[in-house]
Amino acid sequence: MPQSDIAMLIETIALDMRSAPERGVLPTYIPPLADVDPDKFGIAVLEANGRMHLTGDANEPFSIQSISKVYALTMALETIGAPIWSRVRQEPSGNPFNSIMQLESERGIPRNPFINAGALVISDILLSHFGAADARRAFLAFVRSLVAKTSGVRYDESLARQEYETGFRNAALANDMRNFGNIQNLIPSVLRQYFHQCAITMTCRQLAESGRFLMMGGRVATETAQSVSARTTQTVLALMMLCGHYDGSGSFAVQVGLPGKSGVGGGILAIVPGIASIAVWSPGLNAQGNSLLGTAALTRLVHATGWSVFTPPRHEA
Amino acid sequence: MPQSDIAMLIETIALDMRSAPERGVLPTYIPPLADVDPDKFGIAVLEANGRMHLTGDANEPFSIQSISKVYALTMALETIGAPIWSRVRQEPSGNPFNSIMQLESERGIPRNPFINAGALVISDILLSHFGAADARRAFLAFVRSLVAKTSGVRYDESLARQEYETGFRNAALANDMRNFGNIQNLIPSVLRQYFHQCAITMTCRQLAESGRFLMMGGRVATETAQSVSARTTQTVLALMMLCGHYDGSGSFAVQVGLPGKSGVGGGILAIVPGIASIAVWSPGLNAQGNSLLGTAALTRLVHATGWSVFTPPRHEA
Amino acid sequence: MPQSDIAMLIETIALDMRSAPERGVLPTYIPPLADVDPDKFGIAVLEANGRMHLTGDANEPFSIQSISKVYALTMALETIGAPIWSRVRQEPSGNPFNSIMQLESERGIPRNPFINAGALVISDILLSHFGAADARRAFLAFVRSLVAKTSGVRYDESLARQEYETGFRNAALANDMRNFGNIQNLIPSVLRQYFHQCAITMTCRQLAESGRFLMMGGRVATETAQSVSARTTQTVLALMMLCGHYDGSGSFAVQVGLPGKSGVGGGILAIVPGIASIAVWSPGLNAQGNSLLGTAALTRLVHATGWSVFTPPRHEA
Amino acid sequence: MPQSDIAMLIETIALDMRSAPERGVLPTYIPPLADVDPDKFGIAVLEANGRMHLTGDANEPFSIQSISKVYALTMALETIGAPIWSRVRQEPSGNPFNSIMQLESERGIPRNPFINAGALVISDILLSHFGAADARRAFLAFVRSLVAKTSGVRYDESLARQEYETGFRNAALANDMRNFGNIQNLIPSVLRQYFHQCAITMTCRQLAESGRFLMMGGRVATETAQSVSARTTQTVLALMMLCGHYDGSGSFAVQVGLPGKSGVGGGILAIVPGIASIAVWSPGLNAQGNSLLGTAALTRLVHATGWSVFTPPRHEA
């Protein structure tokens, strides 16, 4: 698809979204996220050839929240590798993102790295690998290495602290897994690492850039970043496809047909292997906790471009 | 990839599989399936250009069992369309294929059309649409319309009857959904329809042919078959990717990276959109009830060809 | 307590209940039970010395429904004995009376004989012991042997048939247990036996008489009835106390403090060991499916008499 | 029953227990409890007339653990009263004592005050009522007020600390309830209060004395103790009967037929209303976490005395 078409297409989508009657609801349980302007909307599309297309609030930083789980899983796979699968599984959970029920029946082994319990295990793994003193820094450094200009890519310390102080369900999950021996560091350390990861802020542009290695099978273009293995990108993309939207993953796959990861801050990162890395942001959420207009925008974009992985490539048709 | 390479590749894979030390276990709860020769192994790869590659026992009919759920869902979508989603959802279940627990907490609405409960709802929909007298015939006719030579594509009546007589869990599921008003026909009719669908026999060659419309975005080449809508194929492929291997769907996505659907008879149908339709058959099952060597063979095939939907296409690299 | 006091007491209670503003709701899922006059109210108190006190509609037959599970368990214990505990447990379920979830996680062994699944196992045991041709007759004969005048103690065949035709959840439970090998007779036979047991009609007077053996440690006064072992009565009373009111058993124990068994027809049988056998009837149900005014009446009666098993006997005070 | 008979009876029982081939298993997850001599065995029977019968190690202090939940519930009922039932229910849980699953589906409201989650709520209530500085002291003072000689009735601080440091499941429960707003004090305070309550040490003699108010409908004989309301004792006894032995409560009711409360330290307190307060101690546990020989001894004792609440009183026979 000619690049001019993509630019025009996302403009049209953004225009339509601006007047959408339903914008979803802001998450009330995290006060700073509840205060975000619900009219914010941005799209960034990075093509494989390096062209970046932006529209709306694509240069405004927002809290990526659970999208950070993509980077954390990548780091864990690149440092520890396959042994992580003895501590977290690779299957959809069939339960809400913060469910604690399954942990009990499955003896403290979370279903996948994208539900909260699984992400806490990944944070615990990063803490053990990098050390309590350095894990937070190492994580931020990795994320920064994925973007061209790191300005604004930082921890929102105030948000991290607030989430830490009110994150009782996550504390329950961590304690429960510790009970089964599946958390090895001190629980406050694990929670602080986890909530910092979630509290990273980025723009749509930076988010789309950060997905470049996933689009390209692991190869990255920045000078600072090391390449990621093809094996890791395959695994991360497969899990994004199966578990990236919590209990709405199936519906997202049917509508959009791309591996994607959402965050409760209203962002979604979606990858078209070999073709594009897409970031959308709209703060209002649907019933499953995923960006309502972000999903709608991706549905429109994929419908127009034929980018779904389930669509035969145009040149084959 | 040159076609000669594919032919050679599947020969090599088949050769390796022949000497695999672990072949999985046959399902004991369906006597006729327990009697199948565990050394059977076949692969059929149909390319978009129409070339068919076969190896091993690819021309021997076997019981496709749950792979039939792909055809049933397709028929339901093409006849009834979107309203089916008020009776069955689109999400992974996080539970075994025949679980009854979730039905209770979710008021009789199954998680997806590929677990048993959901497939029973689809059978009920087909019964209502085609009538009790004709639904079975219509289903078989649809499947036959998808293959070039229909010889051997038939109901194994003896197997259907045996499964009907011993399928107490499926009877429990149907009764439970009837209790919630989500089964509308007589339960024995629904069960007979369902068990007949499962008892269809096909060869790997026929199975691969039958997946052509999924590979091609709905377009089919046979004279008899009507085209299927692009919307339906997208939906079916997305659900195959997310739910096609029961509680091993995540692991299959990570390893193989293709939408696929397994059956307890040891078959797997996997689709490479725009590129290939693949059928494998090896009767021994892994712990999740999916063909052990079939999965291994697909993993090998995809690794060599780069056909995973999560891999950047070669020409983009 | 002087007998005149009891007569006066139940008159007062009945009077108050007649003007109770809240009478509970009739069960809508069993049409004949939904048509019962909600103003019906009766109490029968049989003292250990043989005196019977009646008030209100205590001579009018009603459907005892789940109270029949008391007789069925007694028969199973007297005929088969302890081996029944390999097929049904003795613990509260913590789930609604007709829950199917627990069966799956506990491999088809119901929690106790008073939830539906457990009662179906007991019916299956009676069928195996007495034979399909005679089990229904044997059950009715046993119940009749417990009362002085059997007039009106009969199966409501129309109700039994209606429950059979619409009892999909019970059919689901039976099929599910059959799947685990814990139902041995044909499922329609088991369901017919079960629904007939539930469809027995009795008056409050007869119900109170039928509880005499439970009050007296197994000894019965009628010429026709055989004594029941003390062991059996202990067991039945203990399970009535722990599981006799479904998910409201704890609340009933706290308020009333007696072993009791409720039925969805609005009846409750409560036993004061060595002192009284009490039957109440009021068709409206509370949220747990137990008679709302029946429970209120028993609470009043026990409060006035000190009959709770948790209250120190008067003569000890 | 003549008092000499009781003395002789418990001697005989203790003698038999001494040579019991199976003694159960010590709890491994609490190190100090795992080190207790498994041959310890004691019985204390306090009759309504004040006579105390002792045998074996009845004067040796042990950790009462969950038996403390009886005192905590009593205190909460006497201070706060009925409002506690908006924060904890009165029903058997149907799940293990430390299950976290039910909390999620029931929105943070525990099933009863004797499972861990419910007991944590009670500790939270005591903390709010007495203040963080005084709650621990107030609890110990209440327990001491129930016994004649308080020597040895104390907190095992070392054990309380160890349980606090390793009690991750209880921390998970507390955090989970805090998430639902059902814990109001700081979680470390709640856990410390809870683990101190559990770490009280008493002898069988003192334990039997402490149950006197439950035996006597609330009236107590010591100079220091205030009477407890009859309403409270009824409630506590009913909940002991229904939930006092975790997932073995039904089996205990069938075998013993008395309201009782067990602790993982191997103690059991059982009450015969108006007749006796009984304490047994044997450290080995059965599969449900209740004292194996303690249960056996109570079964023997009740069988010989006819003390089950389900047995008609002798003078009525």
Side-chain angles (χ1 to χ4, degrees):
Chain A
M1 170 171 275
Q3 54 156 303
S4 60
D5 292 2
I6 294 177
M8 193 174 309
L9 177 59
I10 63 174
E11 284 301 334
T12 309
I13 292 171
L15 197 64
D16 289 356
M17 293 300 150
R18 217 156 280 146
S19 57
E22 297 289 333
R23 305 191 76 82
V25 293
L26 294 173
T28 54
Y29 63 96
I30 308 177
L33 298 183
D35 290 341
V36 173
D37 177 357
D39 289 336
K40 293 292 180 187
F41 183 88
I43 306 182
V45 178
L46 174 65
E47 293 189 89
N49 60 17
R51 301 263 181 183
M52 175 72 81
H53 309 277
L54 306 176
T55 188
D57 305 303
N59 279 315
E60 188 165 324
F62 63 93
S63 187
I64 65 166
Q65 294 290 316
S66 290
I67 304 174
S68 65
K69 290 164 182 163
V70 169
Y71 312 129
L73 174 60
T74 300
M75 283 183 83
L77 283 170
E78 290 291 292
T79 51
I80 310 297
I84 78 168
W85 303 121
S86 64
R87 294 182 56 190
V88 59
R89 296 175 60 207
Q90 302 179 328
E91 297 300 329
S93 74
N95 279 307
F97 66 98
N98 62 355
S99 175
I100 201 166
M101 300 173 73
Q102 228 161 18
L103 277 184
E104 178 164 344
S105 56
E106 303 191 355
R107 312 282 312 158
I109 306 297
R111 275 296 177 96
N112 66 67
F114 290 157
I115 53 173
N116 289 16
L120 287 164
V121 168
I122 299 294
S123 290
D124 186 56
I125 286 171
L126 297 181
L127 271 176
S128 295
H129 183 76
F130 292 100
D134 292 319
R136 227 178 290 173
R137 190 167 17 168
F139 183 80
L140 185 58
F142 174 67
V143 177
R144 283 183 167 153
S145 78
L146 299 172
V147 304
K149 295 188 181 167
T150 61
S151 166
V153 180
R154 61 176 190 84
Y155 291 129
D156 180 337
E157 293 285 347
S158 162
L159 177 57
R161 191 171 52 248
Q162 281 188 63
E163 292 205 51
Y164 176 82
E165 283 165 2
T166 59
F168 298 109
R169 171 53 66 90
N170 285 307
L173 292 168
N175 275 286
D176 203 40
M177 291 189 289
R178 177 81 192 258
N179 177 53
F180 287 110
N182 200 20
I183 289 289
Q184 295 168 356
N185 292 276
L186 293 177
I187 286 167
S189 299
V190 174
L191 291 171
R192 279 205 189 86
Q193 176 74 18
Y194 172 81
F195 285 122
H196 271 83
Q197 292 169 194
C198 288
I200 277 191
T201 57
M202 296 171 81
T203 65
C204 280
R205 169 192 273 273
Q206 290 164 329
L207 194 54
E209 285 172 2
S210 79
R212 182 171 173 77
F213 75 97
L214 292 168
M215 162 175 52
M216 302 306 285
R219 286 162 296 117
V220 287
T222 67
E223 292 180 8
T224 50
Q226 294 191 315
S227 280
V228 169
S229 75
R231 180 90 207 101
T232 289
T233 61
Q234 300 275 322
T235 300
V236 173
L237 287 171
L239 291 173
M240 288 169 74
M241 176 66 90
L242 267 82
C243 324
H245 283 71
Y246 311 121
D247 218 17
S249 297
S251 156
F252 186 85
V254 166
Q255 286 177 66
V256 177
L258 291 178
K261 182 75 203 80
S262 70
V264 77
I268 302 176
L269 173 64
I271 304 296
V272 194
I275 295 175
S277 169
I278 310 166
V280 292
W281 174 44
S282 171
L285 308 178
N286 64 18
Q288 284 77 40
N290 304 308
S291 175
L292 181 71
L293 294 187
T295 305
L298 286 168
T299 303
R300 288 275 304 275
L301 181 59
V302 163
H303 189 76
T305 55
W307 280 350
S308 160
V309 300
F310 304 119
T311 302
R314 289 285 152 87
H315 59 277
E316 301 279 355
Chain B
M1 170 171 275
Q3 55 157 302
S4 60
D5 292 3
I6 293 176
M8 194 175 308
L9 178 58
I10 63 174
E11 284 301 334
T12 310
I13 292 171
L15 195 65
D16 288 357
M17 294 301 151
R18 217 156 281 146
S19 57
E22 297 288 333
R23 307 191 75 83
V25 293
L26 294 174
T28 54
Y29 63 97
I30 308 177
L33 298 183
D35 290 342
V36 173
D37 177 357
D39 289 336
K40 293 291 179 186
F41 183 88
I43 307 183
V45 178
L46 173 67
E47 292 190 90
N49 59 17
R51 301 264 181 183
M52 175 71 81
H53 309 277
L54 305 177
T55 188
D57 304 304
N59 279 315
E60 187 164 328
F62 63 93
S63 186
I64 65 166
Q65 293 291 315
S66 290
I67 304 175
S68 65
K69 289 164 183 165
V70 169
Y71 311 130
L73 174 60
T74 300
M75 283 184 84
L77 283 170
E78 291 291 291
T79 51
I80 310 296
I84 79 167
W85 303 120
S86 64
R87 295 183 54 190
V88 59
R89 295 175 60 206
Q90 303 179 329
E91 297 301 328
S93 76
N95 279 307
F97 66 98
N98 62 355
S99 175
I100 201 165
M101 300 173 74
Q102 230 162 17
L103 276 186
E104 178 164 345
S105 56
E106 303 192 354
R107 313 281 311 157
I109 307 296
R111 275 297 177 95
N112 65 66
F114 291 158
I115 53 173
N116 289 17
L120 287 163
V121 167
I122 299 294
S123 291
D124 187 55
I125 287 171
L126 297 181
L127 271 177
S128 296
H129 183 76
F130 292 101
D134 292 321
R136 227 178 290 171
R137 189 169 15 167
F139 183 79
L140 186 58
F142 174 68
V143 177
R144 282 184 168 155
S145 79
L146 299 172
V147 304
K149 295 187 181 166
T150 61
S151 166
V153 180
R154 61 175 191 86
Y155 291 128
D156 180 337
E157 293 285 348
S158 162
L159 177 57
R161 192 172 50 249
Q162 280 188 65
E163 293 206 51
Y164 177 82
E165 282 165 2
T166 59
F168 298 111
R169 172 51 69 90
N170 284 308
L173 292 168
N175 274 287
D176 203 39
M177 291 189 289
R178 177 80 192 258
N179 176 52
F180 286 111
N182 200 19
I183 289 289
Q184 295 169 355
N185 291 277
L186 293 178
I187 286 167
S189 300
V190 175
L191 292 171
R192 278 206 189 87
Q193 175 74 17
Y194 172 81
F195 284 123
H196 271 82
Q197 292 170 193
C198 289
I200 278 191
T201 57
M202 295 172 81
T203 66
C204 280
R205 169 194 272 272
Q206 290 165 329
L207 194 54
E209 284 171 2
S210 80
R212 181 170 174 77
F213 76 96
L214 292 169
M215 162 175 52
M216 302 306 285
R219 287 162 296 116
V220 286
T222 67
E223 292 179 10
T224 51
Q226 295 190 312
S227 280
V228 168
S229 75
R231 181 88 208 103
T232 290
T233 61
Q234 300 275 322
T235 300
V236 172
L237 288 170
L239 291 173
M240 288 169 73
M241 175 66 90
L242 267 81
C243 324
H245 283 71
Y246 311 122
D247 218 18
S249 297
S251 157
F252 186 85
V254 166
Q255 286 177 64
V256 177
L258 291 179
K261 183 73 202 82
S262 69
V264 77
I268 301 176
L269 172 65
I271 304 296
V272 194
I275 295 174
S277 170
I278 311 166
V280 293
W281 176 43
S282 172
L285 307 180
N286 64 18
Q288 284 77 40
N290 304 308
S291 174
L292 181 71
L293 295 186
T295 305
L298 285 169
T299 304
R300 287 276 304 276
L301 181 59
V302 163
H303 190 76
T305 55
W307 280 349
S308 160
V309 300
F310 305 119
T311 302
R314 291 282 155 87
H315 58 278
E316 302 279 353
Chain C
M1 170 171 273
Q3 53 156 303
S4 59
D5 292 3
I6 293 176
M8 194 175 308
L9 178 59
I10 62 174
E11 285 300 334
T12 309
I13 293 171
L15 197 63
D16 289 357
M17 294 300 150
R18 218 157 280 147
S19 57
E22 297 289 334
R23 307 191 75 83
V25 291
L26 295 175
T28 54
Y29 64 95
I30 308 177
L33 298 183
D35 290 341
V36 173
D37 176 358
D39 289 336
K40 293 291 179 187
F41 183 88
I43 306 183
V45 178
L46 174 65
E47 293 189 271
N49 60 18
R51 301 263 180 183
M52 175 71 81
H53 308 277
L54 306 176
T55 189
D57 305 304
N59 280 314
E60 187 165 326
F62 63 93
S63 186
I64 65 167
Q65 294 291 317
S66 290
I67 303 174
S68 65
K69 289 163 183 163
V70 170
Y71 311 129
L73 174 60
T74 300
M75 283 183 85
L77 283 169
E78 290 291 292
T79 51
I80 310 296
I84 79 167
W85 304 120
S86 64
R87 295 182 56 190
V88 59
R89 295 175 60 206
Q90 302 179 328
E91 297 301 327
S93 75
N95 278 306
F97 66 98
N98 63 354
S99 175
I100 202 166
M101 300 173 74
Q102 230 162 18
L103 277 185
E104 178 163 343
S105 56
E106 303 191 355
R107 312 281 311 158
I109 307 298
R111 274 297 177 95
N112 66 66
F114 291 157
I115 53 173
N116 289 16
L120 286 164
V121 167
I122 299 295
S123 291
D124 186 56
I125 287 171
L126 297 181
L127 272 177
S128 295
H129 183 76
F130 292 101
D134 292 320
R136 227 179 288 171
R137 189 167 16 164
F139 183 79
L140 186 59
F142 175 67
V143 177
R144 283 184 169 155
S145 79
L146 298 172
V147 304
K149 296 187 181 168
T150 61
S151 166
V153 180
R154 62 177 190 85
Y155 291 129
D156 179 338
E157 292 285 347
S158 162
L159 178 57
R161 191 171 52 247
Q162 281 188 64
E163 293 206 51
Y164 177 82
E165 283 165 2
T166 59
F168 298 110
R169 171 53 66 90
N170 284 307
L173 292 168
N175 275 286
D176 203 40
M177 291 189 288
R178 176 82 192 256
N179 177 52
F180 286 111
N182 200 19
I183 289 290
Q184 295 168 355
N185 292 276
L186 293 178
I187 285 167
S189 300
V190 175
L191 291 171
R192 279 206 188 85
Q193 175 74 18
Y194 173 80
F195 285 123
H196 271 82
Q197 293 170 194
C198 289
I200 276 190
T201 58
M202 295 173 82
T203 66
C204 280
R205 170 194 272 272
Q206 290 164 330
L207 194 55
E209 284 172 2
S210 80
R212 182 171 174 76
F213 76 95
L214 292 169
M215 162 176 52
M216 302 306 285
R219 286 163 295 116
V220 286
T222 67
E223 291 181 8
T224 50
Q226 293 191 315
S227 281
V228 167
S229 76
R231 182 89 207 100
T232 289
T233 61
Q234 300 275 321
T235 301
V236 173
L237 287 170
L239 291 173
M240 288 169 74
M241 175 66 90
L242 268 81
C243 324
H245 283 71
Y246 311 122
D247 217 17
S249 297
S251 157
F252 186 85
V254 166
Q255 286 177 64
V256 177
L258 292 179
K261 183 73 203 81
S262 69
V264 78
I268 302 176
L269 173 65
I271 304 296
V272 194
I275 294 175
S277 169
I278 310 166
V280 293
W281 176 44
S282 171
L285 307 179
N286 64 18
Q288 284 77 39
N290 304 309
S291 174
L292 180 71
L293 294 186
T295 305
L298 286 168
T299 304
R300 287 276 304 274
L301 181 60
V302 163
H303 189 76
T305 55
W307 280 350
S308 160
V309 301
F310 305 119
T311 303
R314 291 283 155 86
H315 57 280
E316 302 280 351
Chain D
M1 171 170 274
Q3 54 157 303
S4 60
D5 292 3
I6 294 177
M8 194 176 308
L9 178 59
I10 62 175
E11 284 301 334
T12 309
I13 292 171
L15 196 63
D16 289 357
M17 294 301 150
R18 219 157 279 147
S19 57
E22 297 288 334
R23 306 192 76 82
V25 293
L26 294 174
T28 54
Y29 64 96
I30 307 177
L33 299 184
D35 290 341
V36 173
D37 176 357
D39 289 336
K40 293 293 180 185
F41 183 89
I43 306 183
V45 178
L46 174 65
E47 292 189 90
N49 60 17
R51 301 264 181 183
M52 176 70 83
H53 308 276
L54 306 176
T55 188
D57 306 303
N59 279 314
E60 188 165 327
F62 63 93
S63 187
I64 65 167
Q65 294 290 317
S66 289
I67 303 174
S68 65
K69 289 163 183 163
V70 169
Y71 311 129
L73 174 61
T74 299
M75 283 183 84
L77 283 170
E78 290 292 291
T79 51
I80 310 297
I84 77 168
W85 304 120
S86 63
R87 295 182 57 191
V88 60
R89 295 174 61 206
Q90 302 179 329
E91 298 299 327
S93 75
N95 280 304
F97 67 98
N98 64 354
S99 174
I100 201 166
M101 300 173 73
Q102 229 163 18
L103 276 186
E104 179 164 343
S105 57
E106 304 193 352
R107 312 281 312 157
I109 306 298
R111 274 298 177 95
N112 66 66
F114 291 158
I115 53 173
N116 289 17
L120 286 164
V121 167
I122 299 293
S123 291
D124 186 56
I125 286 170
L126 296 180
L127 272 176
S128 295
H129 183 77
F130 292 101
D134 293 320
R136 227 178 289 172
R137 189 169 15 167
F139 183 79
L140 186 58
F142 174 67
V143 177
R144 282 183 168 156
S145 79
L146 299 172
V147 304
K149 296 187 182 168
T150 61
S151 166
V153 181
R154 61 175 190 86
Y155 292 129
D156 180 337
E157 293 285 347
S158 163
L159 177 57
R161 192 171 51 248
Q162 281 189 64
E163 294 205 50
Y164 177 82
E165 283 165 2
T166 59
F168 298 110
R169 170 53 66 91
N170 284 307
L173 292 168
N175 275 286
D176 203 40
M177 291 188 289
R178 177 81 191 256
N179 177 54
F180 286 111
N182 200 19
I183 289 288
Q184 294 169 355
N185 292 277
L186 293 177
I187 286 167
S189 300
V190 175
L191 291 171
R192 279 206 188 86
Q193 176 74 18
Y194 172 80
F195 285 123
H196 272 82
Q197 292 169 194
C198 288
I200 277 190
T201 57
M202 296 172 81
T203 66
C204 280
R205 169 194 272 273
Q206 291 164 328
L207 195 54
E209 285 171 1
S210 80
R212 182 170 175 75
F213 76 96
L214 291 169
M215 161 175 53
M216 302 305 286
R219 286 163 296 117
V220 286
T222 68
E223 291 180 9
T224 51
Q226 293 191 314
S227 280
V228 168
S229 75
R231 181 90 208 100
T232 290
T233 61
Q234 301 275 321
T235 301
V236 173
L237 287 171
L239 291 173
M240 288 169 74
M241 176 66 90
L242 267 81
C243 324
H245 283 72
Y246 311 122
D247 218 17
S249 297
S251 157
F252 187 85
V254 166
Q255 286 177 64
V256 177
L258 292 178
K261 182 74 204 79
S262 69
V264 77
I268 302 176
L269 173 64
I271 304 297
V272 194
I275 294 175
S277 170
I278 310 166
V280 293
W281 175 44
S282 172
L285 308 179
N286 64 18
Q288 283 78 40
N290 304 308
S291 174
L292 181 71
L293 294 186
T295 304
L298 285 169
T299 303
R300 287 276 304 274
L301 181 58
V302 163
H303 189 76
T305 56
W307 280 350
S308 159
V309 300
F310 304 119
T311 302
R314 289 284 154 87
H315 58 278
E316 300 281 352

